[in-house]
Amino acid sequence: MRYHLFSGLIKEGVCYEILFPYDDEVKYFKVEQSWENVLAVLEKAWYKRIFKKDWICWEIVADYKSISYRMWFPNQNIANQVIAKYYSEFPQAEFVKIDSEKLEFKGTSHAGTKLKLKRHWSLPFKTYSDDAVDSQSELIAVLESLKEGQKVILQFLIQPMYRTDSTFE
């Protein structure tokens, strides 16, 4: 995990905040395409992933003042490739390199969970094609209700899966 109980186990990596124009329209097909492009950057031949599988971290960071989207990469090379792919779908997006903050958990309450899927496929947040309804609106509404002193960091660790079709039923 990017935020770890033992801070010595956290990779250095590079972190970018993703900025969109305030009135930008959500296009779910483009979001799906951009994630397919991101996974294509991370996929490697079997002999190149024997000892190391690359992954990235997509984060939503919120406090009582703001909500921001971030992406963490294990190195600048992967960051450059992913950002280039992302721009192909969202040329209006701006990636701003930021310092990756270190979190101190001592003396503060915190919680975590892990979601492990039974199969390699999952259903999308939105299972219909009408772009008029934002599938993240409920999540954003909760994050907007944070009070002073509260902070939420949602992390999604993303890594391609291999050899999973044999278990598909």
Side-chain angles (χ1 to χ4, degrees):
M1 279 182 31
R2 187 145 120 57
Y3 295 113
H4 203 283
L5 247 47
F6 306 106
S7 58
L9 296 178
I10 300 173
K11 291 182 173 185
E12 283 301 316
V14 292
C15 191
Y16 284 85
E17 186 166 343
I18 309 168
L19 305 173
F20 289 96
Y22 181 72
D23 59 348
D24 200 26
E25 187 178 337
V26 177
K27 301 272 192 212
Y28 289 99
F29 178 73
K30 284 187 165 197
V31 170
E32 181 182 343
Q33 285 297 118
S34 68
W35 282 111
E36 285 181 20
N37 291 340
V38 167
L39 286 173
V41 168
L42 296 174
E43 287 179 351
K44 292 182 176 178
W46 68 269
Y47 56 86
K48 291 185 179 180
R49 64 177 192 267
I50 291 176
F51 298 108
K52 180 182 164 197
K53 291 184 191 176
D54 289 322
W55 57 275
I56 62 172
C57 181
W58 180 64
E59 303 174 346
I60 302 174
V61 180
D63 60 18
Y64 74 100
K65 292 185 213 173
S66 65
I67 300 171
S68 62
Y69 291 88
R70 298 178 183 173
M71 288 183 97
W72 177 91
F73 306 97
N75 60 53
Q76 190 63 53
N77 183 38
I78 290 176
N80 292 341
Q81 291 179 56
V82 168
I83 290 170
K85 295 280 187 178
Y86 207 81
Y87 277 139
S88 69
E89 297 297 329
F90 296 100
Q92 73 279 20
E94 182 181 351
F95 282 78
V96 178
K97 193 171 185 176
I98 60 173
D99 290 333
S100 190
E101 63 183 296
K102 300 282 184 187
L103 293 181
E104 260 317 308
F105 292 115
K106 294 179 183 173
T108 62
S109 60
H110 60 281
T113 187
K114 184 175 186 177
L115 172 67
K116 183 160 174 77
L117 301 175
K118 193 171 184 177
R119 292 185 172 77
H120 77 288
W121 51 271
S122 62
L123 294 176
F125 285 129
K126 183 176 178 181
T127 57
Y128 47 89
S129 60
D130 182 13
D131 278 347
V133 179
D134 185 358
S135 62
Q136 291 186 30
S137 60
E138 288 84 11
L139 173 63
I140 300 301
V142 169
L143 297 176
E144 286 177 338
S145 69
L146 294 175
K147 295 174 179 39
E148 189 168 353
Q150 294 179 323
K151 185 171 190 171
V152 173
I153 300 175
L154 298 171
Q155 293 182 328
F156 301 88
L157 306 180
I158 300 165
Q159 183 179 53
M161 292 184 69
Y162 301 96
R163 296 189 313 261
T164 57
D165 291 336
S166 62
T167 60
F168 185 73
E169 297 173 356

